[in-house]
Amino acid sequence: MPDPQRAAGPAGDRGTSRGDPGLGEPPRPLAGGLELRTSSFSDNTLIPGQYSYDGGNERPSLEWLGVPDGAAELVLLCEDPDAPAGTFTHWAVTGIAPTSTGLDSGVAGRNDFGERGWSGPRPPVGDEPHRYFFRLHAVDRELGLGEDATGQDVRAAIEGHVLSTGTVMGRFGR
């Protein structure tokens, strides 16, 4: 029997998720929360191949609204919790202006491929589709992280400083 958490779910609003659901939970609305959106794929559906590491490695479009008052910085992480060796960071961006509504500012850190910026999905051949969580965090202080910051560095720096989080999740398999 297929794993229901790994099966592609029904398409909801195109690429919209609110709140920060747990890994096995569907998106849930939050009144006045940070909302992350993408026009590149629908939330909880398969990510098109053009965004994959081997299929063009195009960066998905992201935009948001509902940044809370008091946010000093926005931080983006895209992570695959289904990677064989544990959670794999595909994208880490810090220093995003809290007044922005899209990814037009910020400092791209190092992903777990050892590269700066976006590196798309590339799960092992034959695995069930992996989940890729795009999370935008509004934090209450400037983190001061540079271009060598890793996902681990970002997670440590935001600990205890997150005001709100918006999440979009896509799946990819090969």
Side-chain angles (χ1 to χ4, degrees):
M1 179 178 208
D3 179 352
Q5 289 183 344
R6 289 182 170 242
D13 292 339
R14 181 114 179 120
T16 301
S17 177
R18 297 190 73 179
D20 189 23
L23 294 180
E25 300 176 41
R28 60 182 180 265
L30 291 176
L34 184 58
E35 184 175 346
L36 180 62
R37 300 175 176 182
T38 180
S39 59
S40 301
F41 56 91
S42 292
D43 188 55
N44 200 29
T45 63
L46 294 176
I47 297 171
Q50 70 206 52
Y51 303 105
S52 73
Y53 193 82
D54 296 325
N57 209 33
E58 289 182 33
R59 187 177 91 175
S61 68
L62 295 171
E63 58 185 31
W64 49 84
L65 53 91
V67 175
D69 291 339
E73 181 174 323
L74 301 177
V75 176
L76 175 71
L77 285 170
C78 176
E79 299 174 306
D80 170 8
D82 303 318
T87 300
F88 190 97
T89 301
H90 287 265
W91 207 2
V93 184
T94 61
I96 304 168
T99 55
S100 68
T101 58
L103 204 53
D104 54 5
S105 66
V107 177
R110 288 206 179 272
N111 58 49
D112 286 344
F113 285 109
E115 301 168 358
R116 286 194 182 101
W118 166 253
S119 288
R122 191 183 197 193
V125 174
D127 272 15
E128 292 289 324
H130 287 205
R131 297 166 298 163
Y132 296 85
F133 287 86
F134 294 79
R135 288 190 172 100
L136 183 71
H137 304 282
V139 296
D140 64 3
R141 67 181 182 104
E142 292 184 12
L143 302 178
L145 297 174
E147 58 187 23
D148 286 326
T150 64
Q152 183 176 349
D153 296 334
V154 172
R155 286 189 301 278
I158 68 173
E159 183 72 30
H161 296 281
V162 176
L163 299 172
S164 186
T165 300
T167 303
V168 170
M169 190 270 290
R171 300 172 188 274
F172 188 83
R174 49 188 201 132

